[in-house]
């Protein structure tokens, strides 16, 4: 019951009342909202209780024309709820409304009653002009100051916006606009106007009257010249015209625009920058000319230039006035060799003007042909950062006086020595990288015992240093990071190491060390010790350090470990693989139970059932390093025995800053490929379908998150067992594959980044995406093709590059790596590095260590696959009669039985880098009883048996037992590491997505979520489910393989057929192997693992991190897989006359 005003005491009426936003809306007709609506603004007003009437509230507006309404409620509950809500409204102002990404076609009509809205965000919708909530009604917002209508596919400029005279900020980016109306001149209060990502080629003269406009975005349009109207926009200080069609720039034009200080002309196809007269351009201080076609550049008339970006051009000459220059970025201008991914300029010497720059602070001249540095440059009194890596420098000039230099990068040159005065004169030097040179010694830190050195990071990897350099390091007592890997160190002086008390990270890998001094315990801040690939036999005394997090002692000669009574809680990763003589006792494993990732070799013996394992002509090793990031976002898939024949599958997935998508792809992509191979034998079809299906099944996880992906499939060219092998590679993003053939690198993948792929850059530009200054699509990713990131479609697509390469006897090995690896290590260097190391695992670790020492701070992943393709790799043996211990029968083993070492299922060779992974849910007592005595277990002989004929992959037997296994990533899966708040982009993990937590992982080199073992015609109860989901095999029904899982007790394989899976799940010792609580290396049945990725549909309901945007479209929406890609694959299939029932997207199964 409602009464208006204080005087009409008895005129109560029954009306419908709504509290909407900041207004009270009262209907004028009973039980209806039709007709006239009475709106009472409540902001600044008051809500009071009417004591003379039960359950009654008085609503009053503010101001001189204040009105009052009395509202009487039927119940006490309604009265209290309204009083509570209305009290909040009158005390606060709702001025900002965010309706982005809601797929709206109109503004909700009730919003027009809220007259206090000043900021309205309608980005990423489908707004229309007409209708009650159309854009024509926007002028009803009388206080609106900021309006965002970007990404709405408008097609035409909404002229009604020009009637909102209060606007100060207007964003109409990415709307396919072709013209701006003259009415734009009405917006005299406008300060920011964003018109990026349209089809504009001109601007109206009326825009010149917007005198308050100080920011104008014109990037990624179709301008062929700088608009003349900018001469009148005196408040605009930045020319933002990246991604247009400006092929020539006359500097005289900039003279007339004296207010422009920052010029951004990236990605324009710019060919000439000229000045027809000698007029001085004095106002420009920052100039960005990256990614153009400039062959020469003369900017001598730009006299006050402070910052110049001219990377990735074709510059041969560069002329500047350097009196005010502070920063010069001129790297990567012309490619000399795309195959080696080595971008070089043509500079053989530095021009004189560089040395005359009195204010230059940073100089980047990497990847040139410089043979010497001018002495005047190094002795500059302003230079603070000098990057001269990847040149031909043979010497560095002496420092004549104290200089303010803080960072010096001299890696990949030909230096045999450093100037003696380097540390004496550069007292501010904090970062020095001289890796990959020929240094035999380093200069002293001081001439006396007291040193003034401030050096904090020192990288000496890949030189010829001996243990004598240890004494020279003592003076750098502020060292935090020391990399001295792959030198000639036989030892490290114990007394010298104790002086480095502030050391946090130490890398001694690839030397000839036999021990690490016990004085390492003096480095109380040490959190990372990497000393793989040495000859260390005694475990160092590092487990007493309070902050130790990562210890890598793999590929050494450890025999035992002496442990303290308790381990530090900070220890997260311990890698002991590649120590063939190491034996761990039960007590040791108990102490390791809290470590997030523990890596140990699997102890196994060669048996009669290992013919397939021992005869494959390939062997792999891999390495993953988190670097200085607090979580690992790289995952590796490595399957030496793929499907039911002699095949292999390898992959690497890089999520950049998210770990969820790489883990999901690692666990499921092998299964998807196996399934697609049953439907097609055409490489482009099954690989495209594998990627598109995996992309679709990412569901909600793939809306905002994405990952680069690379998949390599080794197979025979035909079904003939004697046919030669081929390698099919498919990739999206920046993960790469390189084949070594006759000692030379052969790139097999295509880098889909905006910087490396011209055609992809053009495609993204044509589709009017916004490419930010760091060359990222919408500021999110540098890749134009990814798995996931569906909301960036059509700019970012999941369609892969597919290539098949026949393998031959000249092929030595295959290298897979992510972006971080090949950004620092060239193809040729990677090939030479692996050739020098026989063991694939040690080679992969060396690649990652080199990338870190070359300055990489990100996650690094590498896979090395040694190949032995050819008749010389034949390992066939005739059948012989010998005395062998009898192993268990090949029938399914109950979960409570632990197979012995002679079990045919335990055919995993430790020489190929096999390790075993355990879940901490399995007790350490179960582990220790077997792990400590594997090497010494013996079984009595039980008679003479005939060993089966062992056949190699080149001459396989007629019947071959196939094993399909997938391997988990070896370094990783620590959710604890990603929750400490160190990385601003680290978010809470997705609910239901696989995560280890703090589980013990004695990691197995079986990245597997599914194994398949060919056997009899047994059919599990779930076979019928597969038939119901639309998987009708052409021959009648799909063949069902049995499941094989890994026992959590000692790493042996347990063959499990159909019904036994349910029993195995109930076993306490193996129950942790099933369900969503699995760590990444555990094993589930094929039908479980195939749908494992769909747990991403259970994304968290809370809106935080990546999920701050409103609800995204359903995963089945065509936005996830663009219709054009689906249609393309369909047409490709049809042209090959494949059965139409095998479409690449099986919606029935997905649903």
């Amino acid at each position: 019951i409602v009464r208006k005003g204080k005087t009409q005491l008895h005129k109560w009426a029954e009306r419908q009342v709504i509290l909407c936003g900041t207004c009270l809306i009262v209907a004028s007709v009973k039980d209806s909202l039709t007709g006239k609506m009475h709106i009472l603004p409540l902001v600044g007003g008051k809500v009071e209780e009417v004591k003379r009437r039960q359950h009654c509230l008085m609503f009053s507006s503010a101001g001189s024309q204040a009105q009052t309404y009395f509202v009487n409620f039927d119940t006490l509950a309604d009265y209290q709820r309204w009083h509570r809500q209305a009290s909040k409204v009158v005390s606060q102002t709702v001025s900002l409304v965010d309706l982005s990404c809601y797929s709206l076609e109109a503004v909700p009509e009730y919003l027009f009653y809220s007259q206090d809205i000043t900021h309205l965000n309608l980005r990423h919708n489908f707004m229309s002009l007409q209708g009650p909530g159309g854009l024509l009604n926007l002028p009803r917002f009388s206080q609106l100051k900021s309006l965002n209508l970007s990404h709405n596919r408008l097609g035409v400029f909404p002229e009604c916006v020009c009637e909102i005279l209060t606007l100060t900020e207007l964003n109409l980016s990415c709307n396919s606009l072709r013209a701006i109306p003259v009415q734009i001149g009405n917006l005299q209060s406008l300060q920011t106007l964003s018109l990026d990502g349209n089809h504009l080629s001109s601007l109206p003269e009326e825009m010149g009257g917007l005198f308050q406009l100080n920011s104008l975005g014109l990037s990624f349009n179709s301008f062929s010249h700088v608009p003349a109207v900018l001469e009148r926009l005196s408040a605009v200080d930045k020319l933002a015209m990246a991604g247009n069609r400006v092929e020539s720039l006359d500097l005289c034009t900039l003279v007339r625009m004296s207010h422009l200080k920052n010029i951004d002309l990236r990605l324009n196809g710019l060919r000439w920058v000229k000045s027809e007269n000698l007029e001085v351009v004095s106002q420009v201080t920052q100039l960005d000319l990256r990614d153009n076609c400039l062959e020469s550049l003369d900017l001598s008339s730009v006299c006050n230039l402070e910052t110049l970006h001219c990377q990735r051009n074709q510059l041969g000459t560069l002329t500047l006035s350097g009196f005010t220059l502070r920063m010069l970025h001129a790297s990567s201008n012309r490619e000399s060799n795309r195959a080696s991914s080595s971008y070089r300029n043509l500079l053989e010497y530095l021009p004189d003007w560089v040395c005359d720059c009195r204010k230059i602070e940073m100089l980047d001249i990497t990847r040139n042909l410089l043979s010497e540095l001018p002495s005047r440059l190094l002795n500059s009194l302003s230079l603070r950062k000098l990057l001269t890596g990847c040149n031909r420098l043979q010497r560095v000039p002496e420092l004549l006086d104290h200089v303010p230099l803080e960072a010096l990068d001299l890696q990949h040159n030909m230096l045999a020595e450093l100037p003696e005065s380097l540390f004496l004169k550069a007292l501010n030097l904090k970062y020095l990288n001289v890796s990959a040179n020929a240094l035999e010694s380093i200069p002293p830190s001081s001439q006396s015992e007291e040193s003034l050195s401030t050096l904090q990071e020192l990288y000496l990897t890949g030189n010829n240093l001996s243990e004598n350099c240890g004494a020279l390091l003592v003076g750098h007592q502020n060292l935090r990071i020391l990399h001295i890997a792959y030198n000639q160190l036989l030892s490290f002086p114990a007394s010298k190491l104790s002086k480095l008390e502030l050391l946090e990270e130490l890398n001694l890998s690839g030397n000839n060390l036999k021990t690490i001094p016990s004085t390492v315990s003096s480095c109380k801040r040490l959190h990372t010790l990497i000393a793989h690939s040495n000859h260390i036999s005694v475990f160092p005394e590092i487990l007493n350090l309070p902050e130790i997090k990562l210890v890598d002692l793999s590929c050494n000669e450890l025999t035992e470990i002496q442990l303290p009574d308790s381990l530090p809680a900070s220890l997260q990763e311990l890698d002991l693989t590649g120590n063939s003589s190491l034996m761990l006792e039960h007590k040791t494993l108990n102490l390791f139970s809290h470590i997030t990732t523990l890596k140990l070799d699997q102890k196994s013996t060669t048996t009669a059932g290992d013919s397939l394992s021992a005869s494959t002509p390939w062997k792999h090793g891999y390495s993953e390093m988190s670097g200085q990031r607090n979580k690992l976002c790289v995952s590796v898939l490595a399957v030496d025995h793929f499907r039911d024949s002699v095949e292999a599958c390898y992959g690497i997935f890089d999520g950049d800053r998210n770990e969820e998508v790489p883990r999901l792809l690692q666990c499921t992509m092998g299964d998807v490929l196996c399934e697609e191979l049953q439907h097609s034998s055409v490489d482009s079809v099954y690989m495209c379908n594998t990627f598109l299906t995996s992309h679709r099944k990412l569901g909600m996880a793939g809306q905002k998150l994405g990952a680069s992906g690379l998949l390599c499939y080794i197979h025979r060219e035909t079904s003939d067992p004697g046919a030669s092998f081929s390698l099919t590679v498919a990739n999206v993003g920046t993960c790469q594959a390189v084949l070594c053939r006759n000692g030379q690198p052969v790139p097999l993948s295509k880098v889909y980044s905006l910087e490396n792929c011209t055609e992809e850059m053009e495609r993204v530009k044509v589709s009017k995406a916004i490419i930010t200054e760091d060359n990222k699509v919408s500021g999110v990713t540098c890749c134009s093709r990814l798995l996931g990131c569906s909301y960036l479609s059509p700019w970012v697509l999941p369609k892969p590059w597919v290539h098949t390469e026949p393998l031959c006897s000249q092929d030595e090995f295959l290298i897979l790596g992510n972006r971080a690896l090949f950004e620092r290590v060239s193809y040729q260097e990677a090939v030479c590095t692996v050739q020098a190391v026989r063991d694939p695992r040690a080679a992969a670790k060396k690649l990652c260590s080199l990338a870190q020492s070359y300055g990489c701070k990100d996650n690094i992943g590498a896979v090395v696959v040694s190949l032995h393709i050819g008749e010389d790799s034949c390992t066939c043996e005739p059948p012989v009669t010998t005395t062998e211990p009898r192993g268990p029968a090949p029938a399914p083993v109950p979960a409570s039985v632990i197979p012995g070492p002679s079990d045919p299922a335990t055919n995993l060779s430790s020489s190929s880098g096999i390790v075993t992974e355990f879940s901490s849910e399995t007790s350490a007592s179960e582990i220790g009883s077997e792990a400590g005595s594997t090497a010494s277990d013996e079984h009595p002989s039980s008679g003479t048996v005939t060993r089966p004929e062992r056949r190699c992959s080149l001459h396989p037997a007629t019947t071959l037992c196939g094993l399909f296994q997938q391997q988990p990533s070896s370094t990783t899966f620590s959710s604890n590491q990603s929750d400490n708040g160190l990385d601003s982009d680290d978010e809470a993990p997705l609910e239901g997505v696989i995560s280890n937590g703090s589980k013990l992982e004695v990691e197995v080199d079986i990245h597997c979520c599914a194994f398949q073992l060919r056997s009899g015609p047994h059919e599990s109860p779930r076979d019928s489910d597969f038939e119901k989901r639309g998987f009708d095999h052409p021959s009648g029904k799909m063949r069902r393989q049995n499941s094989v899982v890994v026992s959590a007790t000692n790493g042996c394989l347990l063959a499990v057929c159909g019904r036994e899976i349910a029993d195995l799940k109930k076993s306490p010792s193996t129950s942790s192997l099933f369900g969503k609580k699995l760590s990444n290396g555990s094993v589930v049945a094929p039908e479980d693992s195939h749908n494992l990725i769909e747990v991403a549909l259970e994304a968290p309901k809370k809106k935080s991190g990546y999920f701050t945007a409103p609800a995204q479209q359903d995963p089945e929406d065509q936005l996830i897989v663009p219709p054009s890609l689906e249609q393309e694959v369909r047409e490709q299939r049809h042209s090959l006359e494949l059965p139409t029932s095998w479409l690449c997207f099986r919606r029935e199964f997905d649903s």
Side-chain angles (χ1 to χ4, degrees), residues 381-395:
L381 297 179
S382 61
L383 189 63
R384 298 182 181 276
K385 187 175 183 179
L386 178 60
L387 308 179
T388 61
C390 301
N391 279 280
R392 300 178 179 178
L393 299 178
Q394 297 181 6
R395 60 177 296 273

Side-chain angles (χ1 to χ4, degrees), residues 168-401:
T168 61
E169 181 180 353
L170 177 60
N171 191 337
L172 287 167
S173 302
C174 301
N175 277 297
S176 302
L177 306 181
R178 298 185 178 274
I180 305 298
V182 296
Q183 289 86 347
I184 190 71
N186 298 337
L187 302 178
Q188 292 295 312
S189 300
L190 200 61
Q191 299 177 12
T192 301
L193 178 59
S194 300
L195 298 172
D196 308 282
N198 288 292
H199 300 283
L200 302 174
S201 57
S202 62
L203 296 177
E205 288 296 325
E206 287 74 10
M207 281 189 63
L210 303 179
F211 299 112
Q212 296 190 41
L213 191 66
N214 54 46
S215 177
L216 177 61
L218 300 176
S219 300
F220 300 96
N221 279 281
S222 302
F223 291 97
S224 58
H225 60 277
V226 179
V229 71
L230 285 171
E231 297 179 16
R232 300 167 54 193
L233 297 175
S234 58
V236 177
D237 61 355
K238 180 177 180 179
L239 176 63
M241 290 189 62
N244 280 277
R245 301 175 182 175
V246 181
E247 294 188 358
S248 64
L249 174 64
D250 190 349
L251 295 178
C252 297
T253 304
L254 301 181
V255 175
R256 297 191 295 270
M257 303 176 184
S258 59
H259 46 87
L260 293 179
K261 297 181 180 180
N262 190 336
I263 310 295
D264 183 2
L265 290 173
R266 298 172 292 119
L267 301 162
N268 265 280
L270 195 64
R271 296 181 180 275
W272 302 282
V273 176
K274 54 189 177 181
S275 179
E276 296 181 355
N277 50 46
L278 299 179
E279 288 188 79
V280 175
V281 184
S282 59
Q283 81 279 5
V284 176
T285 60
Q286 300 183 42
L287 183 58
D288 195 340
L289 301 175
R290 284 177 289 174
D291 300 287
N292 282 294
C293 305
L294 296 170
E295 296 182 358
S296 64
L297 184 59
D298 185 355
L299 298 174
S300 56
S301 61
V302 187
C303 60
N304 291 320
L305 191 63
E306 297 180 1
T307 302
L308 172 63
H309 292 270
C310 55
Q311 303 99 304
R312 294 180 293 279
N313 278 278
Q314 300 175 9
L315 289 180
T317 60
L318 176 60
T319 306
L320 291 176
S321 173
F323 290 105
T324 59
L325 194 66
R326 293 178 180 272
M327 294 187 181
L328 171 61
H329 303 267
S331 62
S332 306
N333 267 288
R334 181 174 295 184
E335 313 178 35
S336 63
N337 185 5
R338 176 174 290 273
S340 65
S341 186
S342 176
Y343 296 90
R344 293 187 178 273
N345 296 319
L346 302 178
L347 299 178
E348 297 182 2
Y349 64 92
L350 285 179
D352 292 336
W353 58 260
V354 175
C355 302
D356 294 332
C357 298
R358 298 178 182 177
K359 296 184 179 180
I360 189 167
E361 297 179 358
M362 186 268 188
L363 179 61
D364 181 1
I365 47 177
T366 56
R367 295 182 174 87
N368 277 281
L369 306 176
L370 301 175
S371 58
E372 63 179 3
L373 291 176
S375 177
R376 285 193 301 160
L377 175 66
L378 208 60
N379 286 281
S380 169
L381 297 179
S382 61
L383 189 63
R384 298 182 181 276
K385 187 175 183 179
L386 178 60
L387 308 179
T388 61
C390 301
N391 279 280
R392 300 178 179 178
L393 299 178
Q394 297 181 6
R395 60 177 296 273
V396 178
E398 289 286 344
L399 298 180
L400 304 179
D401 201 353

Side-chain angles (χ1 to χ4, degrees), residues 1053-1085:
L1053 296 179
L1054 299 179
V1056 184
C1057 296
R1059 293 186 301 273
E1060 283 76 11
I1061 293 180
D1063 299 333
L1064 189 60
K1065 291 183 181 180
K1066 299 176 182 179
S1067 171
S1069 62
T1070 56
S1071 59
S1072 62
L1073 292 175
F1074 296 88
K1076 296 179 182 177
K1077 294 183 180 179
L1078 287 173
S1079 62
N1080 211 13
S1082 301
V1083 183
V1084 295

Side-chain angles (χ1 to χ4, degrees), residues 397-401 418-427 443-444:
E398 289 286 344
L399 298 180
L400 304 179
D401 201 353
L418 294 175
E420 287 291 318
S421 60
L422 179 61
F423 297 125
L424 303 178
K425 301 296 185 181
L427 296 178

Side-chain angles (χ1 to χ4, degrees), residues 1108-1141:
T1108 51
Q1112 300 292 327
Q1113 300 182 7
D1114 186 83
E1116 289 296 323
D1117 192 280
Q1118 288 184 337
L1119 174 65
I1120 295 182
V1121 176
S1124 58
L1125 296 184
E1126 183 173 352
Q1127 183 62 29
E1128 182 177 341
V1129 176
R1130 286 180 176 177
E1131 292 175 356
Q1132 189 175 16
R1133 235 180 216 194
H1134 182 70
S1135 64
L1136 295 169
E1137 297 183 353
L1138 294 176
T1140 58
S1141 61

Side-chain angles (χ1 to χ4, degrees), residues 663-673 694 966 1009 1089-1093:
R663 289 182 184 177
L664 293 172
L665 294 173
Q666 175 202 39
C667 290
T668 58
M669 207 160 182
D671 290 342
V672 177
L673 174 61
S694 299
Q966 291 181 341
C1009 51
S1089 64
H1090 188 82
N1091 296 323
L1092 191 60
I1093 205 168

